[in-house]
Structures are given as structure tokens and as C-alpha cells.
Amino acid sequence: PMQVNLDYHQSLQKDLDDLTKNIQSDFGTMETMKAENKTFEKEGKLPEAEPEMNIESFKGIEDVINAKVIGQEAFVKKLLIAFKRPLVMPEKEGYPKNSIFITGPEDTGKHESLTALAAELKNRKLWKSDEISIIDLSIYHAAGMDKVFLQDLYSALRSDAKIVLFENFENCHSSYLTYLSALVTE
């Protein structure tokens, strides 16, 4: 049994490595992107960048969201703190900018709050898109759906969405939690 688990883990790691290579081939490595920017600078054609966000960028957003999501002031405040975290703690190159774990009962405004936040950041021209990619993990309830899972994950990461929302993690097969753990930490 131990060998089977090791083989399965190695297979998952290979799939994750393949996904990383695919993303790098589509978007390039950080070094490639920096080199491309230097080329653009020399030619005077810089790609359009999103404005630099800072803590002041969030001024008034809490009121906007609270006007749309009634009775969740404490949650909205914590959500905004979580979204500000990358602005006060320097990100490590090659790691995710931020990961947020949101829990709570159904119908309490979690989705509506995220949607309102993304829309307001787009309205303020801080983000180009207010799209949220949603991956319903309950679809992957059995082992052996790795290819479908990786394709869906890859599509979500390639989209214009700044937020990738993973739902129903408690209903997915445990092997996919390994992928998510690696994605969030690496």
C-alpha cells in the first residue's frame, strides 16, 4: 500500500509540474517577462499595466460593499483586510499573491461580497476585469479525474479573473486537495 501511495503522489507531482510548464510556456517565466518589458521599454511600447494598488485604493470600498450586502459588516471588514494583505506584506516572487480561506453558512453574502469587491476594483480601474473563475470541487468526487481537474484549473488560471474561487472542497476527493495545497503554497 505504501508504494501505491508513493506512485500516486509522484503521478500527481508530475501532473502539477506539467501544469506549471504549460503556464510558463503561455506566460513565460518571470525572467522572460522582465526581458520582454525591457524590449518594450527600448522600443517605447510598454504593455498597458494595471495601476499600482495601495491601501488608499480601498478607501470607501467597504461602504460600497455594505450597501450591497446587508448585515455582514464584520465579514466585509475581514475580507478587505485579507485583500489588503499583499499590499503591506511584500510578496515572494513565484508565489501566489494571496490566498484567502472563506467559510460560513450558506446564504450569508460570501459570493455577493466577492462579486461586489471585484466589480468595485474594476470600476476604480484598479483591475481590468471583474470576472471570478469558479471551480466547483464537488465535481471531482473520485480519484482518476486528474486530467479534467487540471484542465479546469489551467483554464481558471489563464482567464482574466483576478479571483479563482474553489467551492465545495469538503466534497472533492482528497487527492485534489494536494494540488490545491501545492498551488496555494508554491
Side-chain angles (χ1 to χ4, degrees):
M2 189 59 142
Q3 184 63 33
V4 171
N5 288 340
L6 181 61
D7 290 343
Y8 186 71
H9 178 70
Q10 288 173 337
S11 172
L12 290 177
Q13 188 60 49
K14 181 189 176 311
D15 289 342
L16 191 57
D17 292 342
D18 290 345
L19 177 65
T20 302
K21 287 176 188 172
N22 286 338
I23 290 172
Q24 287 179 342
S25 71
D26 283 351
F27 299 106
T29 63
M30 290 303 286
E31 292 78 27
T32 306
M33 291 166 53
K34 287 176 186 175
E36 286 174 357
N37 280 344
K38 286 181 182 177
T39 302
F40 284 131
E41 286 174 5
K42 287 178 186 175
E43 296 173 0
K45 302 178 202 169
L46 281 174
E48 185 180 327
E50 291 181 341
E52 190 70 31
M53 285 179 57
N54 57 42
I55 297 296
E56 291 299 312
S57 304
F58 284 84
K59 196 172 199 157
I61 290 180
E62 187 173 344
D63 295 331
V64 171
I65 296 173
N66 283 329
K68 294 178 181 179
V69 182
I70 309 301
Q72 295 297 329
E73 291 82 8
F75 168 71
V76 170
K77 182 184 259 349
K78 289 178 183 178
L79 180 65
L80 290 175
I81 289 170
F83 268 80
K84 291 177 194 176
R85 188 175 306 125
L87 302 174
V88 294
M89 293 179 63
E91 62 185 276
K92 294 180 184 176
E93 192 170 315
Y95 285 84
K97 193 174 243 182
N98 202 358
S99 298
I100 303 168
F101 188 70
I102 299 173
T103 61
E106 286 188 38
D107 300 323
T108 56
K110 297 181 299 290
H111 287 96
E112 185 62 29
S113 298
L114 281 173
T115 301
L117 176 57
E120 186 60 21
L121 290 171
K122 182 181 181 218
N123 287 343
R124 293 174 181 226
K125 298 188 180 3
L126 296 168
W127 284 0
K128 292 179 184 176
S129 171
D130 61 354
E131 179 183 347
I132 298 175
S133 286
I134 299 174
I135 297 179
D136 182 357
L137 295 172
S138 67
I139 295 170
Y140 317 103
H141 52 83
M145 301 176 76
D146 302 72
K147 299 290 185 204
V148 174
F149 174 75
L150 289 173
Q151 287 173 343
D152 292 345
L153 178 59
Y154 184 67
S155 294
L157 293 174
R158 286 194 53 186
S159 73
D160 289 336
K162 291 281 195 173
I163 299 172
V164 178
L165 175 62
F166 297 96
E167 296 184 310
N168 303 314
F169 68 91
E170 65 279 358
N171 297 324
C172 78
H173 191 271
S174 61
S175 63
Y176 303 109
L177 297 177
T178 303
Y179 283 122
L180 295 179
S181 175
L183 180 68
V184 168
T185 59
E186 299 171 15

Short mmCIF file of all heavy atoms in Angstrom, two decimals, residues 58-70 73 76-77 80 116-117 120 124:
data_model
loop_
_atom_site.label_atom_id
_atom_site.label_comp_id
_atom_site.label_asym_id
_atom_site.label_seq_id
_atom_site.Cartn_x
_atom_site.Cartn_y
_atom_site.Cartn_z
N PHE A 58 -8.40 51.29 -1.42
CA PHE A 58 -9.54 50.63 -0.81
C PHE A 58 -10.46 51.59 -0.05
O PHE A 58 -11.47 51.16 0.48
CB PHE A 58 -9.06 49.52 0.13
CG PHE A 58 -8.58 48.29 -0.58
CD1 PHE A 58 -7.29 48.20 -1.06
CD2 PHE A 58 -9.44 47.22 -0.79
CE1 PHE A 58 -6.85 47.08 -1.73
CE2 PHE A 58 -9.01 46.09 -1.46
CZ PHE A 58 -7.71 46.02 -1.93
N LYS A 59 -10.09 52.85 -0.03
CA LYS A 59 -10.88 53.83 0.71
C LYS A 59 -12.31 53.89 0.14
O LYS A 59 -12.50 54.10 -1.05
CB LYS A 59 -10.23 55.20 0.63
CG LYS A 59 -10.73 56.18 1.64
CD LYS A 59 -9.89 57.44 1.62
CE LYS A 59 -10.12 58.15 2.93
NZ LYS A 59 -9.04 59.04 3.25
N GLY A 60 -13.29 53.66 0.99
CA GLY A 60 -14.70 53.75 0.59
C GLY A 60 -15.28 52.46 0.03
O GLY A 60 -16.50 52.36 -0.14
N ILE A 61 -14.44 51.47 -0.26
CA ILE A 61 -14.95 50.22 -0.83
C ILE A 61 -15.83 49.49 0.18
O ILE A 61 -16.85 48.89 -0.19
CB ILE A 61 -13.81 49.31 -1.32
CG1 ILE A 61 -13.16 49.93 -2.56
CG2 ILE A 61 -14.32 47.91 -1.64
CD1 ILE A 61 -12.02 49.11 -3.14
N GLU A 62 -15.48 49.57 1.45
CA GLU A 62 -16.28 48.89 2.48
C GLU A 62 -17.72 49.38 2.46
O GLU A 62 -18.66 48.59 2.53
CB GLU A 62 -15.64 49.12 3.86
CG GLU A 62 -16.29 48.33 4.96
CD GLU A 62 -15.54 48.45 6.29
OE1 GLU A 62 -14.37 48.89 6.29
OE2 GLU A 62 -16.14 48.10 7.31
N ASP A 63 -17.91 50.69 2.32
CA ASP A 63 -19.27 51.25 2.27
C ASP A 63 -20.02 50.77 1.04
O ASP A 63 -21.21 50.47 1.11
CB ASP A 63 -19.21 52.78 2.28
CG ASP A 63 -18.64 53.33 3.57
OD1 ASP A 63 -18.79 52.66 4.62
OD2 ASP A 63 -18.03 54.41 3.54
N VAL A 64 -19.33 50.67 -0.10
CA VAL A 64 -19.96 50.21 -1.34
C VAL A 64 -20.46 48.77 -1.18
O VAL A 64 -21.59 48.44 -1.55
CB VAL A 64 -18.99 50.34 -2.54
CG1 VAL A 64 -19.56 49.68 -3.78
CG2 VAL A 64 -18.65 51.80 -2.80
N ILE A 65 -19.60 47.91 -0.63
CA ILE A 65 -19.99 46.51 -0.47
C ILE A 65 -21.09 46.37 0.57
O ILE A 65 -22.05 45.62 0.37
CB ILE A 65 -18.76 45.65 -0.10
CG1 ILE A 65 -17.75 45.68 -1.24
CG2 ILE A 65 -19.18 44.21 0.21
CD1 ILE A 65 -16.43 45.01 -0.91
N ASN A 66 -20.97 47.10 1.68
CA ASN A 66 -22.01 47.02 2.72
C ASN A 66 -23.36 47.51 2.22
O ASN A 66 -24.39 47.08 2.74
CB ASN A 66 -21.58 47.78 3.97
CG ASN A 66 -20.56 47.02 4.78
OD1 ASN A 66 -20.55 45.78 4.80
ND2 ASN A 66 -19.67 47.74 5.46
N ALA A 67 -23.38 48.37 1.23
CA ALA A 67 -24.65 48.82 0.65
C ALA A 67 -25.29 47.71 -0.18
O ALA A 67 -26.51 47.68 -0.34
CB ALA A 67 -24.43 50.05 -0.21
N LYS A 68 -24.48 46.78 -0.68
CA LYS A 68 -25.00 45.68 -1.49
C LYS A 68 -25.23 44.41 -0.68
O LYS A 68 -26.09 43.60 -1.02
CB LYS A 68 -24.02 45.37 -2.64
CG LYS A 68 -23.90 46.51 -3.63
CD LYS A 68 -22.90 46.18 -4.71
CE LYS A 68 -22.80 47.36 -5.66
NZ LYS A 68 -21.83 47.13 -6.71
N VAL A 69 -24.44 44.21 0.36
CA VAL A 69 -24.53 43.01 1.19
C VAL A 69 -24.94 43.46 2.59
O VAL A 69 -24.12 43.97 3.35
CB VAL A 69 -23.19 42.25 1.24
CG1 VAL A 69 -23.32 40.98 2.06
CG2 VAL A 69 -22.71 41.93 -0.16
N ILE A 70 -26.18 43.28 2.90
CA ILE A 70 -26.74 43.80 4.15
C ILE A 70 -26.42 42.88 5.33
O ILE A 70 -26.55 41.66 5.24
CB ILE A 70 -28.28 43.96 4.03
CG1 ILE A 70 -28.66 44.74 2.77
CG2 ILE A 70 -28.88 44.59 5.28
CD1 ILE A 70 -28.09 46.13 2.70
N GLU A 73 -21.26 43.36 7.98
CA GLU A 73 -20.20 44.36 8.13
C GLU A 73 -18.89 43.76 8.64
O GLU A 73 -17.81 44.08 8.14
CB GLU A 73 -20.65 45.50 9.06
CG GLU A 73 -21.72 46.40 8.48
CD GLU A 73 -23.14 45.83 8.62
OE1 GLU A 73 -23.32 44.79 9.31
OE2 GLU A 73 -24.06 46.42 8.03
N VAL A 76 -17.26 41.72 5.82
CA VAL A 76 -16.73 42.59 4.77
C VAL A 76 -15.44 43.24 5.23
O VAL A 76 -14.47 43.32 4.47
CB VAL A 76 -17.78 43.64 4.34
CG1 VAL A 76 -17.17 44.71 3.45
CG2 VAL A 76 -18.96 42.96 3.65
N LYS A 77 -15.39 43.67 6.48
CA LYS A 77 -14.17 44.27 7.03
C LYS A 77 -13.01 43.28 6.97
O LYS A 77 -11.91 43.61 6.53
CB LYS A 77 -14.42 44.74 8.46
CG LYS A 77 -13.22 45.42 9.11
CD LYS A 77 -13.50 45.77 10.55
CE LYS A 77 -13.85 47.15 10.86
NZ LYS A 77 -13.80 48.29 10.11
N LEU A 80 -11.83 42.66 3.33
CA LEU A 80 -10.98 43.74 2.82
C LEU A 80 -9.58 43.70 3.43
O LEU A 80 -8.60 43.97 2.74
CB LEU A 80 -11.64 45.09 3.05
CG LEU A 80 -12.87 45.33 2.18
CD1 LEU A 80 -13.56 46.64 2.56
CD2 LEU A 80 -12.52 45.34 0.72
N ALA A 116 -19.08 41.95 -5.49
CA ALA A 116 -19.12 43.40 -5.32
C ALA A 116 -17.71 43.99 -5.22
O ALA A 116 -17.44 45.05 -5.78
CB ALA A 116 -19.94 43.76 -4.08
N LEU A 117 -16.82 43.30 -4.54
CA LEU A 117 -15.44 43.77 -4.41
C LEU A 117 -14.75 43.79 -5.77
O LEU A 117 -14.11 44.78 -6.15
CB LEU A 117 -14.66 42.90 -3.43
CG LEU A 117 -13.19 43.22 -3.25
CD1 LEU A 117 -12.97 44.67 -2.82
CD2 LEU A 117 -12.56 42.26 -2.25
N GLU A 120 -16.13 46.60 -7.89
CA GLU A 120 -15.69 47.93 -7.45
C GLU A 120 -14.22 48.18 -7.82
O GLU A 120 -13.85 49.29 -8.21
CB GLU A 120 -15.91 48.10 -5.94
CG GLU A 120 -15.62 49.49 -5.44
CD GLU A 120 -16.47 50.59 -6.07
OE1 GLU A 120 -17.56 50.30 -6.62
OE2 GLU A 120 -16.03 51.76 -6.01
N ARG A 124 -13.04 51.19 -10.29
CA ARG A 124 -11.97 52.15 -9.93
C ARG A 124 -10.77 52.01 -10.86
O ARG A 124 -9.74 52.63 -10.64
CB ARG A 124 -11.55 51.93 -8.49
CG ARG A 124 -12.64 52.29 -7.50
CD ARG A 124 -12.26 51.93 -6.09
NE ARG A 124 -13.34 52.27 -5.19
CZ ARG A 124 -13.19 52.91 -4.03
NH1 ARG A 124 -11.97 53.25 -3.63
NH2 ARG A 124 -14.22 53.19 -3.28
#
